[in-house]
Amino acid sequence: MESLASLCKRRGFIFQSSEIYGGINGFWDYGPLGCELKRNIRDAWWRDMVLNREDVVGLDCSIIMHPRVWEASGHIGGFADPMVDCRVCKKRFRADQLCEEQNQKLIKTDKGFALPEGIRCTCGSKELTEPRAFNLMFKTFVGPVEDESAVAYLRPETAQGIFAQFGNVLAVSRQKVPFGIAQIGKAFRNEINPRNYTFRSREFEQMELEFFVKPGTDPQWHDYWVEQRMKWYQSIGLPAESITKYVYAKDELAHYASACVDVMYAFPFGVQELEGIAARGDFDLSRHQQFSGKSMEYFDPDTQEKFVPHVVEPSAGVDRIALAVLCNAYREEWLPKEGPALEAEPGKQPPEGYEARTVMRFAPRIAPIKVAVFPLLKNKPELVEKSREIFTEARRRWACFWDQTGAIGRRYRRQDEIGTPFGVTVDFQTLADNTVTLRDRDSMKQVRISVADLIPELDRRIGR
Ligand code: ATP
């Protein structure tokens, strides 16, 4: 993780927020490459979940909503993590996480929670307070007067905006149940213990689908979405073996939920959640119906029945997926003059005749920069001009990079390190026969290809 975090900073993927002031815990900024990576993850999700389907439409809600939304959703009363403090070192922990790390489970009681026997602070002390509920919502005030009536919250999830607008979307979209509403946007949680780099942040981005179904069909749709979502992670380059399911036992489910499966990724710091897929019944719509007094019923024109739809919710985090993608892509290799690369041994120099390279093996679909274009030499105007032409043509379609400085080998290495899958070099032969070399980042193989075939070939390799 340290090498990865250092590369992310050095090459402009991820910076600490407000770094010049010493940073702020739980907040991160995405640099020029990081914001492209995140955009590609979002776009891939939107394409597959919304644009490539006829039964899902999009929505973009405000971050601050009427505070009643959070009463109805249960977030004001219930959206709390149990927190414990160490009386000796004064550190604060999430009680469930502290127990988990010591292979124990937090005990549920009538009043809240209790710590099992033998739980210690990370400093070794047993002097821990009783777990207390800590609400995770960020509070603010709307308007000039800072009194109770002006209190509002930054949304802790995007889902509730979808439920609150269910009626409007239904009225305008000509959709019939089963259908879904999707949203991507920022969410905020005042996490007790932000950690593991960007994994648990206080400001993050969610991609959520609320898929509304006929009561009774929940299990089939839940299975369907679990399968779809598992496949999707492979489509963005995460290998099947790195992605697992965590199926909730009945006693781990929220009282309204009938099923929940988490999609887990094997991070270097442990197997952790990327996405939760829950069958939430009619809990959310019914609560909003009750709190707002507005009907959330659906009239089924085929059966002439009226019902409050049930919902299946795949809810994923952009930042966590970006982190998984970064972890998966990162490789240190030793390259011989010829033949296959060796995996580098940490902290060691490559053997005689080998050269070290760091490479980010992003799937082309989500690589921040797709194509780098190089003139072989920068002081040959014909080469520069031809390469600029190709660059201009390519960047109308993809994020591209043009680089004329340094030896060509070094330019390739710089692109390998940021995960650019394809390199196009314009050399003297280009001027004679209008062909260029196309280099593949992973195999490092180069082929000669005519300029006329270049864009279609890149299009085929990059895919969508
Ligand atoms: P956890 O148990 O890890 O706190 P959760 O189960 O409460 O998370 P959900 O409410 O199901 O998380 O949120 C859905 C998704 O939103 C998560 O799978 C994750 O990808 C993302 N997410 C939630 N909290 C955070 C956070 N603090 N930082 C980054 N992403 C988050």
Side-chain angles (χ1 to χ4, degrees):
M1 282 308 288
E2 254 169 57
S3 324
L4 175 65
S6 129
L7 179 135
C8 283
K9 175 165 184 207
R10 185 160 37 86
R11 300 308 310 266
F13 284 94
I14 299 172
F15 305 126
Q16 220 185 349
S17 164
S18 340
E19 193 193 275
I20 56 168
Y21 294 102
I24 168 166
N25 197 7
F27 298 88
W28 299 93
D29 293 342
Y30 289 83
L33 293 175
C35 72
E36 292 298 334
L37 178 66
K38 266 180 73 173
R39 203 166 60 83
N40 292 339
I41 291 170
R42 268 189 237 117
D43 286 353
W45 189 91
W46 196 261
R47 176 153 301 281
D48 293 338
M49 301 294 276
V50 184
L51 302 180
N52 278 347
R53 304 184 62 101
E54 286 172 73
D55 56 358
V56 176
V57 293
L59 185 65
D60 187 9
C61 299
S62 64
I63 286 173
I64 292 178
M65 291 183 268
H66 196 292
R68 292 274 286 169
V69 167
W70 307 112
E71 277 175 46
S73 69
H75 283 84
I76 286 183
F79 189 57
D81 278 342
M83 158 184 95
V84 290
D85 292 295
C86 173
R87 292 198 179 94
V88 176
C89 74
K90 308 289 175 213
K91 263 202 194 145
R92 176 163 284 183
F93 302 93
R94 234 172 86 174
D96 56 329
Q97 290 174 351
L98 196 63
C99 294
E100 208 171 281
E101 282 163 12
Q102 296 171 36
N103 293 320
Q104 300 242 43
K105 264 199 168 172
L106 188 65
I107 301 162
K108 273 190 196 167
T109 65
D110 299 345
K111 283 191 235 112
F113 294 97
L115 290 177
E117 278 290 305
I119 291 291
R120 286 169 186 273
C121 172
T122 49
C123 76
S125 136
K126 279 186 164 177
E127 300 280 307
L128 293 162
T129 60
E130 279 301 299
R132 279 169 296 149
F134 173 77
N135 194 294
L136 296 183
M137 281 199 294
F138 279 100
K139 244 187 198 179
T140 186
F141 299 95
V142 174
V145 186
E146 298 196 356
D147 66 11
E148 266 309 298
S149 69
V151 167
Y153 301 92
L154 303 190
R155 65 180 177 200
E157 60 173 40
T158 63
Q160 294 306 322
I162 297 178
F163 296 124
Q165 290 292 5
F166 172 74
N168 276 334
V169 177
L170 184 64
V172 299
S173 63
R174 307 190 63 202
Q175 290 287 346
K176 283 191 193 168
V177 168
F179 81 101
I181 306 176
Q183 170 158 229
I184 300 180
K186 289 268 180 151
F188 303 82
R189 296 183 188 178
N190 197 2
E191 298 280 359
I192 296 168
N193 228 342
R195 57 181 180 170
N196 288 332
Y197 200 20
T198 59
F199 180 81
R200 185 174 301 287
S201 316
R202 291 182 164 138
E203 172 173 345
F204 55 96
E205 216 171 339
Q206 289 187 314
M207 306 190 286
E208 296 195 296
L209 169 69
E210 303 305 322
F211 197 78
F212 299 100
V213 306
K214 201 170 163 180
T217 63
D218 323 38
Q220 295 95 289
W221 280 111
H222 186 254
D223 290 349
Y224 169 83
W225 280 112
V226 170
E227 194 191 321
Q228 290 293 311
R229 298 302 304 146
M230 293 294 286
K231 277 198 218 141
W232 186 80
Y233 285 97
Q234 289 175 53
S235 83
I236 60 163
L238 296 180
E241 63 275 13
S242 68
I243 299 288
T244 48
K245 285 187 237 178
Y246 177 82
V247 182
Y248 283 60
K250 278 270 170 288
D251 67 345
E252 292 175 305
L253 291 171
H255 66 90
Y256 46 79
S258 60
C260 187
V261 170
D262 283 348
V263 180
M264 314 290 282
Y265 175 76
F267 285 98
F269 47 82
V271 176
Q272 298 279 351
E273 170 185 341
L274 291 181
E275 167 164 355
I277 304 156
R280 301 175 56 89
D282 66 359
F283 177 76
D284 304 275
L285 286 182
S286 295
R287 293 276 291 190
H288 285 297
Q289 179 164 280
Q290 184 191 336
F291 278 68
S292 68
K294 302 281 183 321
S295 169
M296 295 287 166
E297 279 182 330
Y298 172 78
F299 177 73
D300 187 332
D302 300 330
T303 62
Q304 304 281 306
E305 281 174 286
K306 252 187 176 181
F307 56 85
V308 175
H310 284 197
V311 75
V312 174
E313 174 194 78
S315 166
V318 182
D319 310 78
R320 282 194 188 173
I321 297 172
L323 185 59
V325 160
L326 285 163
C327 290
N328 179 66
Y330 186 82
R331 301 289 150 77
E332 288 173 14
E333 294 178 348
W334 288 338
L335 307 178
K337 290 252 149 30
E338 214 86 20
L342 299 179
E343 199 178 310
E345 290 173 42
K348 290 210 182 139
Q349 289 299 316
E352 190 64 29
Y354 283 75
E355 188 198 341
R357 85 159 175 170
T358 302
V359 57
M360 295 297 278
R361 292 187 180 238
F362 296 124
R365 187 184 188 201
I366 53 157
I369 307 285
K370 312 279 192 243
V371 186
V373 185
F374 315 108
L376 184 64
L377 298 170
K378 72 171 173 191
N379 50 10
K380 293 281 179 247
E382 318 88 280
L383 297 185
V384 171
E385 193 186 328
K386 186 72 196 171
S387 67
R388 288 296 300 182
E389 266 172 39
I390 293 171
F391 172 60
T392 306
E393 188 61 26
R395 74 168 165 182
R396 286 166 51 190
R397 294 165 179 79
W398 307 288
C400 296
F401 196 86
W402 185 78
D403 186 3
Q404 62 167 359
T405 53
I408 193 75
R410 292 210 34 209
R411 284 184 263 170
Y412 287 150
R413 288 293 166 275
R414 283 203 288 265
Q415 294 303 316
D416 290 344
E417 208 186 29
I418 62 167
T420 306
F422 305 110
V424 174
T425 304
V426 170
D427 55 17
F428 291 104
Q429 196 179 326
T430 312
L431 305 176
D433 65 5
N434 218 23
T435 62
V436 290
T437 65
L438 174 57
R439 174 185 183 266
D440 178 85
R441 173 198 67 202
D442 297 341
S443 67
M444 292 175 290
K445 295 241 158 63
Q446 302 191 26
V447 292
R448 269 211 102 79
I449 176 169
S450 86
V451 170
D453 295 336
L454 180 65
I455 297 286
E457 176 61 16
L458 286 169
D459 199 33
R460 194 183 64 74
R461 293 197 193 187
I462 292 165
R464 256 179 247 281

